[in-house]
Amino acid sequence: MSLATLYAIDVVAICALVFAIYLPRHHRKDLMLAFIGVNIGVLGVTQALASAEVTAGLGLGLFGVLSIIRLRSAEMEHDEVAYFFSALALGLLGGFPLSPTWLSPLLMFSVVLAIFLADHPRLFGSRRHQIMTLDRAFVDEGEVIAHLGR
């Protein structure tokens, strides 16, 4: 499989992840740019590392630098982190041609499918998660419920 074909599959996979799954479910356009940017950036860096004579230490160092981005960024919810790392994984899979040649596209499809299923609204549709900031501390749960009821 040619690199151009692998890149095209990566573009299709990241577009499916962002435009067909993430955006309709979460409606956050600001993270759309981050997911696409990290995917294309990792794809380029991975391809550069795969085609250059570099040591594994340099590759691991660059991967460590990428992980620092998470520590310096605004706080993300767990589902957003999952999409972020999926975008990163797609870029890695698109940048390293694997043998057999069908393995990279299959793994990309698996990543997108896993996110599609795990974040499907019907999976835990009746469950909700809310964070409330109250103006004082409560020790008794009954007091909290009464306060929220008022």
Side-chain angles (χ1 to χ4, degrees):
M1 178 176 305
S2 73
L3 283 177
T5 304
L6 202 52
Y7 295 165
I9 293 170
D10 176 68
V11 169
V12 169
I14 191 64
C15 286
L17 184 74
V18 172
F19 296 113
I21 301 173
Y22 180 79
L23 207 53
R25 292 180 184 177
H26 299 279
H27 309 290
R28 288 205 47 196
K29 288 173 52 177
D30 58 328
L31 287 176
M32 176 184 71
L33 176 63
F35 298 148
I36 292 171
V38 76
N39 174 265
I40 300 303
V42 167
L43 177 71
V45 169
T46 303
Q47 180 53 45
L49 289 174
S51 62
E53 299 262 341
V54 295
T55 65
L58 178 62
L60 289 173
L62 287 173
F63 195 74
V65 168
L66 288 172
S67 68
I68 291 174
I69 294 170
R70 168 72 178 114
L71 300 174
R72 297 283 181 202
S73 301
E75 186 175 326
M76 288 193 283
E77 297 294 324
H78 294 292
D79 56 346
E80 294 163 347
V81 172
Y83 279 94
F84 186 83
F85 280 106
S86 296
L88 191 137
L90 291 173
L92 286 170
L93 290 168
F96 280 129
L98 299 177
S99 181
T101 57
W102 51 263
L103 187 56
S104 287
L106 177 66
L107 291 172
M108 287 182 196
F109 175 78
S110 299
V111 168
V112 174
L113 179 64
I115 293 296
F116 173 78
L117 295 174
D119 191 37
H120 200 280
R122 290 188 184 165
L123 189 59
F124 294 106
S126 63
R127 310 287 275 161
R128 289 188 335 175
H129 175 81
Q130 290 180 312
I131 297 175
M132 297 181 147
T133 304
L134 304 175
D135 56 355
R136 61 177 234 212
F138 293 90
V139 178
D140 181 39
E141 184 178 347
E143 276 185 63
V144 173
I145 293 169
H147 180 76
L148 292 173
R150 290 189 295 273

